[in-house]
Amino acid sequence: MSDELVIHFIEPFYTGSHKQLIDLLTSELDNYQLHTLPGKKWHWRARVGALQISQNIPHITNSKNTVIFTSSVLNLAELLALRPDLVESYKIVYFHENQLCYPVRDVKQRDFQYGYNQILTSLVADKLIFNSHYNMESFLSN
């Protein structure tokens, strides 16, 4: 069993600012693994990304030396339910956006499932990082 720290970057929407952030972070690292899905149809990535990605991450035998870094598009609670070997990992979630107050395109009732997924994700994460003070305050106040 290796004592070397391994960072698993998990991104179910690997495009735009999501891809730019991951690429920037991994450009200075040697010991990491990248688990991504193509950056299209974010609604479906948010709904089923955990199931899809759970099948691509190798089994973790030493989760104490494992860091999971993901965006809030991933339902982290769902991933951990599917992959109990990841539960003891240190889990960091980056919020590019906040689905609790994200503007809706059409005048219709908001689909609260995405915001609810982000709430569940924040409850199982060890560290939350927001891209702005506004994003953090609007998430925490909702």
Side-chain angles (χ1 to χ4, degrees), residues 6-12 14 21-27 29 31-36 53 57 67-71:
V6 178
I7 303 173
H8 291 265
F9 289 92
I10 302 173
E11 181 51 66
Y14 191 58
L21 177 64
I22 298 290
D23 291 352
L24 175 67
L25 294 173
T26 58
S27 70
L29 297 173
N31 199 19
Y32 69 90
Q33 293 187 19
L34 189 58
H35 313 283
T36 66
I53 287 180
I57 302 170
V67 173
I68 294 173
F69 184 98
T70 188
S71 74

Side-chain angles (χ1 to χ4, degrees), residues 4 16 29 36 39 45-46 65 78 80 82 87 95 118 129 135:
E4 192 171 327
L29 297 173
T36 66
R45 297 293 183 234
N65 291 338
E78 193 173 272
L80 296 177
L82 293 164
V87 170
F95 280 75
Q118 287 184 329
I129 303 171
N135 196 1

